[in-house]
Amino acid sequence: MFMRTSFVTAMLLAAMSLPAAAKDVNNIGGLTQSEFHGLTQDLGAALSYKPLEPAEPLGLFGFDVGVAATDTKIKNSAAFNTAGAGDISSIAVPSLRLNLGLPFGLDVGAMAGTVPGSNVRLYGGELRWAFIKGSTTMPAIALRGSYTQLAGVDQLDFSTRGLDLSISKGFAMFTPYAGIGKVWVASTPKNIPSATPSKESLSENKYFVGVNMNFFLINVALEADKTGDDTSYGLKLGFRF
């Protein structure tokens, strides 16, 4: 057990300490409309809210707190290079996360993250309702609304809203889960002299699968997410009671 926990810890620390490839996003005005559309798609996948938890509710006064890291493979590397982010092929987002249990199967969550080496900052939250709480024989099913907001990039006003339906069922210390949903992205250039590019508003389909593992005091979540055309992988390490 100690070996498994130590291995997962090492994985998370390694993911969060990789050399930063990204640079400041500071040339939004240099993008064509097509490039800005591609950049918006990739940012929508990378910066939208990632569940990293099963559908079952925490229960009153329950909590889930931890550190996480997600990595999203992007499709429009050239657009990011033009925008000032450098020659990158993925966007890594380490973050701090907290979820609290409320009455009636409700959970509320918050997160804050950053893209290392860049001016990209991120915060967000979720409200989740497990309208089927689950039991020894029944899975839990939950509806989640989420929101994220970009900070730190003076030339871009960017946010995402999400809605998803997820299902999970625990087996001993393992709780597999899966979900489907939609992400709406709003991306508006600002503080640039050029009239282009102009605002992009788009929606992307979202699918995710994962497993939550509870090793006594340590909780680990692994997740794969496909939002639009981009795939993300996530890992969270923390405590869940």
Side-chain angles (χ1 to χ4, degrees), residues 8-94:
V8 172
T9 303
M11 285 175 60
L12 183 62
L13 292 176
M16 296 179 67
S17 61
L18 289 173
K23 301 176 183 177
D24 285 354
V25 177
N26 55 17
N27 189 35
I28 296 295
L31 297 172
T32 65
Q33 192 64 44
S34 177
E35 289 174 327
F36 185 63
H37 179 81
L39 180 138
T40 297
Q41 288 180 315
D42 287 337
L43 285 179
L47 303 185
S48 56
Y49 198 90
K50 304 298 186 290
L52 291 167
E53 61 179 345
E56 65 184 38
L58 288 166
L60 186 59
F61 304 128
F63 70 92
D64 185 330
V65 60
V67 292
T70 61
D71 187 69
T72 303
K73 305 300 180 184
I74 61 174
K75 301 291 186 179
N76 300 279
S77 298
F80 280 86
N81 198 11
T82 301
D87 185 13
I88 61 173
S89 59
S90 65
I91 300 175
V93 184

Side-chain angles (χ1 to χ4, degrees), residues 127-152:
L127 179 63
R128 182 165 49 91
W129 175 41
F131 55 90
I132 299 179
K133 297 181 181 181
S135 66
T136 55
T137 57
M138 286 286 295
I141 303 178
L143 183 66
R144 176 191 354 259
S146 63
Y147 177 83
T148 63
Q149 177 69 52
L150 175 70

Side-chain angles (χ1 to χ4, degrees), residues 109-177:
M111 61 82 65
T114 183
V115 175
S118 79
N119 57 349
V120 174
R121 307 288 182 266
L122 177 70
Y123 62 88
E126 67 160 305
L127 179 63
R128 182 165 49 91
W129 175 41
F131 55 90
I132 299 179
K133 297 181 181 181
S135 66
T136 55
T137 57
M138 286 286 295
I141 303 178
L143 183 66
R144 176 191 354 259
S146 63
Y147 177 83
T148 63
Q149 177 69 52
L150 175 70
V153 181
D154 294 336
Q155 296 182 352
L156 186 61
D157 184 3
F158 181 95
S159 65
T160 74
R161 294 175 292 117
L163 187 67
D164 66 70
L165 187 70
S166 62
I167 184 171
S168 68
K169 179 69 175 72
F171 302 93
M173 67 182 70
F174 301 98
T175 305
Y177 63 91

